[in-house]
Amino acid sequence: MKVKDILQSSNFHLISNQSGLEKDTKGIFSSDLLSHVMGFAGENNILITVLNNINVLGVASLLDFSCVIFPHNVKVNETIINKANELEITLISTHLSTAQAVLNLYELGVED
Amino acid sequence: MEHFSKEFTIQRNDIGNAGTVSSLTKRELKKRGLSRDFVKTVTIGVYEAEINVVIHSYGGTALLEITDDYVQITFTDTGPGIESIENAMTAGFSTASSYAIENGFGAGMGLPNIKAVSNEMDLSSSKSGTILRIRFNICSDCYES
């Protein structure tokens, strides 16, 4: 499943540019503590987090995540979106909670 | 034997640039054909250590060295030092500021994560500064097949 397939659901909205949409996804990881993310997340994971700061992009880039999803309509500022575009990290927003987003992603066909 | 070395300056609380040392380390290792798993392991260790200098110290330097046999990175800061290394090495123990926590750090997992991923780790600390050396051995299995 590719990042662009997530956007088939009307629950998920692209907030960065389209440069990373062809990336493959593999598994979901959710945490708001970056050391947990560093310690346990894997390549091509979809990261779901309410942390909306620049360090999320650093970690996403270092670990080669497929995309980052911000649940609960968490606001993401322009600086972060611009940096994500530069690093080709896809950012997606959803009104869903973290748990609902995880369920929805599995329904869409995200593989572990 | 090729010996790559590069020194970086790390500024106190410069969270926006945290990740510079680990990004460059990742790039250098990929260039050498090292495997994704190996690169990830090193990147985790270097990132955690880099964040520690940013959020806990008055600032310092990182010296990255890559030879055919190992990747070594030595972080040296100018204080205030770690009060109890034993506590700092305990998973979940944290003295992080609210500023660090708001930015997603301070879970108390930094040093335990570094210890878990590296082959060697030396940590010494006094009020005038902390020195952390971590080493990852490069073996024939560490390359992309």
Side-chain angles (χ1 to χ4, degrees):
Chain A
M1 186 176 166
K2 294 191 183 292
V3 172
K4 67 180 180 190
D5 298 323
I6 297 170
L7 301 169
Q8 283 172 359
S9 162
S10 58
N11 289 324
F12 297 105
H13 306 282
L14 182 66
I15 53 173
S16 59
N17 68 18
Q18 310 214 340
S19 58
L21 295 185
E22 292 298 327
K23 281 186 195 161
D24 289 319
T25 66
K26 192 175 185 304
I28 304 165
F29 192 88
S30 178
S31 177
D32 304 317
L33 288 169
L34 291 174
S35 285
H36 282 154
V37 178
M38 285 305 284
F40 302 112
E43 194 180 335
N44 290 340
N45 276 178
I46 297 166
L47 175 67
I48 306 179
T49 183
V50 296
L51 269 181
N52 56 351
N53 62 55
I54 206 92
N55 307 298
V56 171
L57 303 181
V59 172
S61 166
L62 288 170
L63 294 185
D64 294 316
F65 292 150
S66 53
C67 62
V68 180
I69 298 180
F70 298 97
H72 297 285
N73 277 334
V74 164
K75 276 213 162 81
V76 181
N77 70 35
E78 200 80 350
T79 312
I80 292 170
I81 295 172
N82 290 339
K83 185 74 181 171
N85 289 338
E86 186 190 316
L87 295 170
E88 297 188 359
I89 299 167
T90 302
L91 304 183
I92 293 170
S93 172
T94 179
H95 65 279
L96 299 175
S97 70
T98 300
Q100 288 167 331
V102 170
L103 288 172
N104 202 162
L105 287 168
Y106 279 122
E107 280 164 14
L108 286 169
V110 172
E111 287 160 36
D112 262 332
Chain B
M1 184 195 284
E2 187 196 3
H3 188 119
F4 173 90
S5 99
K6 187 172 170 68
E7 189 165 84
F8 303 83
T9 302
I10 305 173
Q11 307 283 351
R12 177 186 199 179
N13 282 338
D14 186 11
I15 278 183
N17 280 315
T20 307
V21 182
S22 27
S23 296
L24 191 125
T25 306
K26 181 183 177 184
R27 206 179 321 147
E28 285 298 327
L29 297 179
K30 274 182 144 181
K31 243 183 357 197
R32 287 163 171 75
L34 288 149
S35 72
R36 284 168 173 268
D37 281 350
F38 181 80
V39 175
K40 184 186 167 191
T41 301
V42 175
T43 303
I44 290 170
V46 175
Y47 185 76
E48 292 284 10
E50 188 180 357
I51 291 296
N52 277 346
V53 178
V54 172
I55 68 174
H56 291 297
S57 84
Y58 300 143
T61 58
L63 175 66
L64 168 67
E65 295 167 275
I66 307 173
T67 72
D68 292 339
D69 300 321
Y70 62 82
V71 183
Q72 177 166 285
I73 182 140
T74 309
F75 293 87
T76 307
D77 69 46
T78 53
I82 300 170
E83 207 169 295
S84 161
I85 288 184
E86 194 185 334
N87 283 347
M89 288 301 300
T90 305
F93 178 86
S94 178
T95 58
S97 64
S98 54
Y99 172 71
I101 292 166
E102 279 161 22
N103 280 282
F105 303 116
M109 295 300 292
L111 288 170
N113 275 356
I114 294 167
K115 175 116 182 133
V117 296
S118 60
N119 294 109
E120 285 177 33
M121 170 177 164
D122 297 328
L123 178 63
S124 62
S125 187
S126 71
K127 280 182 180 153
S128 56
T130 297
I131 300 173
L132 171 70
R133 181 186 68 87
I134 48 178
R135 186 184 279 209
F136 304 84
N137 297 332
I138 300 177
C139 56
S140 52
D141 294 342
C142 298
Y143 288 90
E144 203 74 76
S145 50

